[in-house]
Amino acid sequence: MPGGDAREAARTVTGSLETFPYLPELPARGPGADMIGRTAGLLVEVYAHVEPSGWRISDRPGRDTRRARSWMGEDLDALEEFTQGYEGELKVSAVGPWTLAAALELRNGEAALSDPGACRDLTASLAEGLRAHLADVRRRVPGARPVLQLDEPSLTAVLQGRIRSASGYRTHRAVDRAVVEGALRDLVAVAAEAGAPVVVHSCAPDVPFALLRRAGAAGISFDFGLLTEREEEAIGEAVEGGTTLLAGVVPGVDGPLSDPAGSVMGVRTLWRRLGLAPGTLAESVVLTPSCGLAGASPAYARAVLAHCVRAARSLADNPE
């Protein structure tokens, strides 16, 4: 979300999304509130600090770690305040292990992705951190049924060997798909212990739908505008297999909004092309912005959330 006021963001989200609110992220506050720093603050016995080149793994917790944890606490306090008595699904987000490994630097300045042992350590640390985070959310909002979103915008680049080295002159070797799947499956298992289904989000092209389903993802979140025909079969298989699709159909930055029915026209068209029953649309699809709203104006962010609710209602009322 845009801005830096945790209470205002929590008020907006809970007021707009009565049945599926989420814990807002406010990266405009600076390092530690950004996507990577925020998740680094959740890690257990692995610490990170900010260098000019980005986040780097540290020997001990420092100012940047403390700041990330402080902001997370502030965000949770605000969410707790505005979800008194709430019962239902509540989404929290963290960076997934592969985007984290591609972004966090080792002491030599190379991405943790370059070291298989470091990748394993990061996954294990993230698993413990998420276990504690989900428990904290359940304690603060007793009626909530947490849903864990793992943000993996770099996942496809990791699989295709497109993550650049520190020098920029080469790329890191592609990670074996079985290794990628195994790490994600480990985190899905941790979330399952807390009763939290996992959604994996990627706003990049070529989302690996089949791999994410095999890893146990209950839902896959993606930019609907980036879909190509070659992915349609995988989407059909995902729907038939019970996977929820979080379709990003509304732009995440300021611009004109179509009418709600127009926003879901592409989803309806895809359903017909795949030969799927229209009645399954409301059960299988959640409508979202195409990606995060941090780059939007506060007014546009509020408008987008309300627009998604109206578009979802349109889809449910008139699936054909």
Side-chain angles (χ1 to χ4, degrees):
M1 294 289 283
D5 188 329
R7 292 186 74 256
E8 180 58 32
R11 180 189 292 113
T12 297
V13 167
T14 55
S16 301
L17 306 174
E18 296 178 357
T19 59
F20 195 21
Y22 58 86
L23 176 65
E25 299 180 5
L26 302 171
R29 292 178 297 194
D34 61 297
M35 186 172 76
I36 299 300
R38 184 178 176 87
T39 298
L42 293 175
L43 298 176
V44 174
E45 295 184 359
V46 174
Y47 313 106
H49 66 277
V50 178
E51 292 280 344
S53 54
W55 284 88
R56 183 169 295 183
I57 293 174
S58 308
D59 292 324
R60 59 185 64 85
R63 179 183 59 186
D64 295 326
T65 297
R66 290 192 294 272
R67 184 165 48 197
R69 291 175 176 175
S70 175
W71 272 328
M72 177 65 84
E74 181 181 312
D75 294 342
L76 287 166
D77 288 344
L79 183 72
E80 183 178 0
E81 177 183 350
F82 288 99
T83 51
Q84 293 295 312
Y86 175 74
E87 294 185 359
E89 292 177 319
L90 174 66
K91 184 163 71 69
V92 297
S93 302
V95 176
W98 296 107
T99 296
L100 195 63
L104 278 182
E105 299 174 356
L106 300 172
R107 292 171 184 84
N108 63 4
E110 286 294 351
L113 187 68
S114 63
D115 183 336
C119 291
R120 288 191 295 271
D121 290 345
L122 268 182
T123 299
S125 176
L126 181 59
E128 290 305 310
L130 289 174
R131 182 178 281 116
H133 184 48
L134 290 168
D136 191 17
V137 171
R138 279 195 173 279
R139 180 182 60 79
R140 290 170 176 268
V141 191
R145 298 191 299 275
V147 175
L148 173 63
Q149 176 172 305
L150 295 176
D151 291 317
E152 282 283 17
S154 299
L155 179 60
T156 299
V158 167
L159 289 166
Q160 295 178 353
R162 292 192 285 106
I163 300 297
R164 292 204 166 274
S165 65
S167 69
Y169 293 120
R170 62 181 181 86
T171 57
H172 294 292
R173 183 181 304 171
V175 180
D176 185 89
R177 297 180 78 86
V179 174
V180 169
E181 183 182 322
L184 291 169
R185 189 182 294 115
D186 288 347
L187 293 180
V188 168
V190 167
E193 293 172 10
V198 170
V199 170
V200 179
H201 167 73
S202 175
C203 51
D206 300 320
V207 176
F209 287 94
L211 183 151
L212 296 177
R213 288 180 57 224
R214 290 195 304 270
I220 300 173
S221 173
F222 58 97
D223 182 343
F224 190 82
L226 296 179
L227 283 183
T228 61
E229 287 187 15
R230 67 175 179 272
E231 292 162 302
E232 290 186 0
E233 182 180 349
I235 286 178
E237 292 174 353
V239 172
E240 291 174 346
T243 304
T244 299
L245 303 180
L246 285 81
V249 297
V250 185
V253 292
D254 289 43
L257 291 171
S258 67
D259 65 287
S263 292
V264 297
M265 188 181 303
V267 179
R268 288 194 181 101
T269 301
L270 174 63
W271 233 246
R272 285 195 295 271
R273 201 157 56 235
L274 293 175
L276 298 168
T280 63
L281 261 173
E283 302 168 4
S284 302
V285 176
V286 176
L287 299 178
T288 74
S290 57
C291 199
L293 294 169
S297 66
Y300 181 79
R302 289 191 296 271
V304 163
L305 296 181
H307 185 88
C308 286
V309 172
R310 290 194 297 271
R313 193 169 292 126
S314 168
L315 197 63
D317 292 345
N318 184 21
E320 298 189 59

